[in-house]
Amino acid sequence: MSVPCSFIWYELMTPDLDGAKAFYDAVVGWRIDGPGEQPGDDFYRMIMRADGGATGGALRLSEEMIAGGAHPTWLGYFHVDDVDAKSAAILAEGGRMLMPAQDIPQGRFALVTDPRGMPFYIMHPVPPADMPDAVSTCYDRTTPQHVSWNELVTPDLAAAKDFYARHFGFEFLRTMPMGELGDYCFIDQNGIDIGAAMQAPPGWPRRGWIYYIRVDDIDRAAAAVAAKGGQVTNGPHQVPGGDWTLSGTDPQGAGFALVGQRGA
């Protein structure tokens, strides 16, 4: 199965599903399904867009999970053909297994880290019976309510580029110098830009994969972040191409990033 982008799902881990719903529904325009809207909604809810598609899911962190080291965060799912083989290959290179492979009706998945300790899921999905050729619509470069950019901040850029190129088919064909911050290495997959990787500068507050959610208006979204109890920690800043980005922390403690036009 060929997919235009290896990222096929995004997941918010949070201790408070109702609080996350109130925040992200207002900031992004999603509808994170509330109580009574879907089976099992006290544990896992779908992140629904206005167009009827899903950008991901929201998982409630239990006290047991938190005691075991889990914390509020966003994670991405990489598409793979064989979860067990890919897990074994990643572990052989120094990655770690955070959640062993398991089956659900939607496919088989596992939670792993790369050799630098950056976590992500790998999954072999099972498409719906009535849509055998379905592909993920979670990533979209230009449409609001989708994840629009996947950014890796890593302590070893050269090693990370080699790892993700071999395991997920990433190509790094273009680089943008950022002065003291080093090079911003764009990720190309199947002819499209899906994100970038950069070396983590000393003292950089966030490392790992950062997922930029596209919003309809960055200023409206920033105001909603503050109104709903979140915190903008950086931005908005304009980036090449005319978009504006910001990063912050939601009321439950998960870091997030937004991208959008100003005054749209």
Side-chain angles (χ1 to χ4, degrees), residues 16-59:
D16 181 359
L17 288 173
D18 290 335
K21 173 181 173 62
F23 180 77
Y24 288 101
D25 283 11
V27 172
V28 182
W30 286 331
R31 191 190 80 246
I32 298 180
D33 281 347
E37 295 182 16
Q38 67 177 73
D41 57 22
D42 61 334
F43 174 69
Y44 203 90
R45 300 181 188 173
M46 303 291 281
I47 299 174
M48 302 301 297
R49 304 188 301 265
D51 65 7
T55 293
L59 169 71

Side-chain angles (χ1 to χ4, degrees), residues 183-201:
D183 289 336
Y184 198 64
C185 302
F186 294 98
I187 301 170
D188 179 275
Q189 188 171 39
N190 296 321
I192 63 172
D193 285 334
I194 67 167
M198 62 177 286
Q199 180 79 30

Side-chain angles (χ1 to χ4, degrees), residues 159-170:
K161 288 169 64 177
D162 176 69
F163 174 86
Y164 288 99
R166 286 186 293 103
H167 287 288
F168 301 107
F170 290 176

